[in-house]
Amino acid sequence: MTAVVVIFYSLDVWMARIFFSPESSGAYAIASLLGKILFWGTIPISKAMMPLSSDSTNDKTGHVINNSIFLIATAIIITTALFYLFPYDIIKIFTGRDVNVAGDILFYEGLSFGIIALANLLLLYNLSVNRFKKYWIMLVPLLIEIIIMSLFADSVSQFAIAFLVSSVIFFAFSIVFAYINRGRKIA
């Protein structure tokens, strides 16, 4: 499952290198890397949740997932607000130069990685409570991502929005995965 998440959040940069010039794909990579900060910054929350929710004697696993969702959602709101309000300043701080294309898409990238962080949380929760059947369903969003991003590669902005849409679909599939596996424990 971790491999699926890593491939999902890495495909965008690989595909940007195929569809865009080195300058444009570099600008996209800058925004993507800064967006990934949101994902990587929330991984400790997901990782700390796993042992707490996997404890079979713990009747409060629902509270654990709810608290984790709250913490990650708070991080998403704060980070994406900063990305929305100060995109060019943030790009300048981290790169030392003006990269307007990266600033134009920074909000979309941050929101995309925030959504992926929530999907990752749901997937890890299902793994921690020993509900992990029909995992192949999570390969479908990878194919959808490739198709959507291939179709909408006319501009870097359009490509970033396509990645956002792909991230929402990935999150929806993580919800479907959780629904399919609810109540199923693997012996």
Side-chain angles (χ1 to χ4, degrees):
M1 196 50 64
T2 301
V4 169
V5 174
V6 170
I7 291 168
F8 187 88
Y9 78 64
S10 301
L11 270 175
D12 66 319
V13 175
W14 295 339
M15 292 180 69
R17 291 191 65 181
I18 293 169
F19 292 116
F20 301 115
S21 68
E23 295 81 19
S24 294
S25 65
Y28 182 88
I30 290 168
S32 181
L33 183 61
L34 288 171
K36 283 180 181 127
I37 289 172
L38 180 55
F39 176 80
W40 292 328
T42 60
I43 283 180
I45 297 167
S46 301
K47 296 291 182 179
M49 175 214 54
M50 281 192 73
L52 296 173
S53 59
S54 66
D55 182 7
S56 61
T57 61
N58 186 357
D59 294 334
K60 300 187 181 197
T61 59
H63 295 298
V64 172
I65 186 70
N66 290 338
N67 290 340
S68 299
I69 289 170
F70 174 77
L71 290 171
I72 290 177
T74 301
I76 292 168
I77 291 167
I78 292 168
T79 305
T80 56
L82 291 172
F83 285 175
Y84 182 79
L85 295 171
F86 309 107
Y88 305 104
D89 298 324
I90 291 169
I91 297 292
K92 180 121 176 146
I93 288 168
F94 283 98
T95 65
R97 57 193 173 111
D98 292 322
V99 185
N100 290 335
V101 174
D104 294 342
I105 63 169
L106 184 59
F107 172 73
Y108 300 119
E109 290 297 302
L111 192 54
S112 298
F113 284 104
I115 291 167
I116 294 169
L118 286 171
N120 184 56
L121 177 71
L122 289 177
L123 294 170
L124 288 176
Y125 176 74
N126 278 290
L127 180 62
S128 70
V129 295
N130 208 17
R131 290 187 256 169
F132 204 73
K133 290 186 178 181
K134 298 184 182 182
Y135 61 87
W136 56 266
I137 196 168
M138 292 310 298
L139 296 174
V140 174
L142 293 174
L143 297 173
I144 293 171
E145 177 185 22
I146 292 168
I147 292 167
I148 289 174
M149 295 183 76
S150 296
L151 293 174
F152 296 96
D154 292 336
S155 70
V156 174
S157 295
Q158 190 181 60
F159 193 75
I161 293 169
F163 182 59
L164 176 58
V165 170
S166 298
S167 299
V168 169
I169 292 169
F170 186 71
F171 180 66
F173 268 81
S174 70
I175 292 170
V176 168
F177 179 78
Y179 180 77
I180 288 172
N181 290 307
R182 76 185 163 145
R184 294 184 181 176
K185 300 233 180 212
I186 298 174

